[in-house]
Amino acid sequence: MQSTFVRRLLYVALFVLYLLHNDLWFWDDPQLLFGLPIGLLYHIGFCLAAALMMALLVNYAWPRHLRDEEERESLP
Amino acid sequence: MTLAIIVVYLGLVLLVGSLSYRLFRGTGEDYFVASRTIGPFLLLMSLFGTNMTAFAILGASGEAYHEGIGVFGLMASISALVIPSVFFFVGTRVWALGKRHGFLTQVQYFRARWDSGALGLVLFVVLIALLIPYLLIGVMAGGITLNQITGGQVPNWVGGLMVCAVVMTYVCYGGLRGTAWANTFQTLVFMILGGLAFFVIVDAMGGFSKALAKVAAQHPELLGRGENIKPLKLLTYTCIPLSVGMFPHMFMHWLTARGARAFRYPLMVYPLCIAAVWVPSVLLGVLGSVDFPGLKGPAANSILVKMINLHAPELLAGLLAAGVFAAVMSSLDSQVLSIGTMFTQDIVRYYGFQNQMSEKMQIFYGRLFVAGVLLLTYVISLFSARSIFKLGVWSFTGFAALFPVVVAALFWRRSTKQGALAAILSVALLWTYFFFQGWQTPGYTVGGTGLMPVAVILAVATLAMVVVSLLTRPPDAAVVGKFFDGAEAAEDN
């Protein structure tokens, strides 16, 4: 499934994720959650979300010219 | 004992680098881009290892010692999103173009893209100037590590010299293939030993909860963002990781990929690798404030090594110090090789002996320049006593501000060489201005507002690129046509 709609949706999601990086909610809060400062935990969670975002981009928004390259690579 | 372990480790690195020489095909393309045969795992390790420098290991912990956990959000988590995104949108395209046109350096690409030799020369000078501070932090970190781990018995200049000598040997011997192999080995070493260091130190401090409780009691400001990191600073710092789009060494590593498929796995795993390295580094810097209170400025560069020395047994301390060396050298090697490659391809070959120089001679000049640059960096390191973090940030600022150049080259057909030149020159001028304005001021931001200079320089460079391109004659359609195909354009629309 690699439609233009999905690709654009993922680009929007990427931008939203970027905006979520600029947290103004936990950052001055020194309380601990699961033994870690909550501001740090938020950004560790952000790294996991970034990995998921990249997995979605790779699987559903892989550029067409690279798909063509891959097809050529898979030819004997 | 510690010194012996480090020496054995350096020997191992040399062995790995020299083993790769068995695969050397004797051609310039093999020396400079490993004949474009690097697979997904080696690509991930070399991209990640190259990017994780002394900045991430010593610089991050030193900065976290002063600023607290905010450093993770400032540099690490945003890098986990921006860097793989740059690989996705820029790196894969650069790889495809490099393969199609046979490019070995980014200067070659930009020269061809805008059909301008002068543009290539200006870019070469700016890239080398910006890379020197980045090289410097690696050499300095080698000196600091060895000095601290031996309790001051070995002076800084010896560690820096050892790092330079080992890197020069395996880069000159194995070229990019040797560098990729050594990078992979060293990246695994510093990731494994970095994790081990964290657990050993935390255990020796009585467990993580207990150690953190001490920080909360003595330095509670380190567990939040504090006054030093303003919202505007956090926002504008997000521009800094764009620097990977213009690093010569990253460009070169993209070109080594065996195929388009080789990028998929590194893109997905890269954010997790960042978290795995930065979380322990930042936390150890924060915990260091309990054991070593009162360190001023650049003295905190060595906090991680001090913690290792205090809490780890001697054998482990040696191994952990080797891990720091691994981080340092896995970046330094690619950086010096990229400089050597640029000098050979973009200056010596382009201007002097374009069609007269044998492949053997090209490689020889590449090696000679690598040795010269390392020597120069080493000499500068003997007189430099700067914060590793701040040196890194100034270097990244310049590269990040050049990002509009690569974006325009890849995505904007109407962009012109005059536009690119205006963007590059605006970066050079503004970077120099801000550098002299802020060099002596700790935590410098524009007018003390929290606005990082990178945001201003990036905005001006983008504006210069757009305005000057639109005011000048459109580029030759035949030249543009070489770099944009119909399928890609259709998808972009």
Side-chain angles (χ1 to χ4, degrees), chain B residues 355-371:
Chain B
N355 295 314
Q356 305 160 23
M357 191 180 281
S358 69
E359 301 240 336
K360 218 173 200 175
M361 284 300 282
Q362 287 179 42
I363 296 167
F364 171 76
Y365 277 106
R367 286 171 172 161
L368 201 65
F369 196 70
V370 164

Side-chain angles (χ1 to χ4, degrees), chain B residues 70-130:
Chain B
V71 172
F72 188 82
L74 212 55
M75 282 303 295
S77 59
I78 192 61
S79 296
L81 183 67
V82 173
I83 292 178
S85 297
V86 172
F87 292 170
F88 181 82
F89 290 107
V90 174
T92 55
R93 282 176 168 79
V94 163
W95 167 79
L97 289 167
K99 187 182 172 196
R100 196 184 309 161
H101 297 279
F103 297 132
L104 297 177
T105 72
Q106 63 192 141
V107 171
Q108 281 178 343
Y109 166 57
F110 290 119
R111 247 185 199 138
R113 168 66 182 82
W114 282 303
D115 194 24
S116 168
L119 177 75
L121 181 63
V122 172
L123 191 62
F124 172 84
V125 173
V126 172
L127 291 174
I128 297 288
L130 289 173

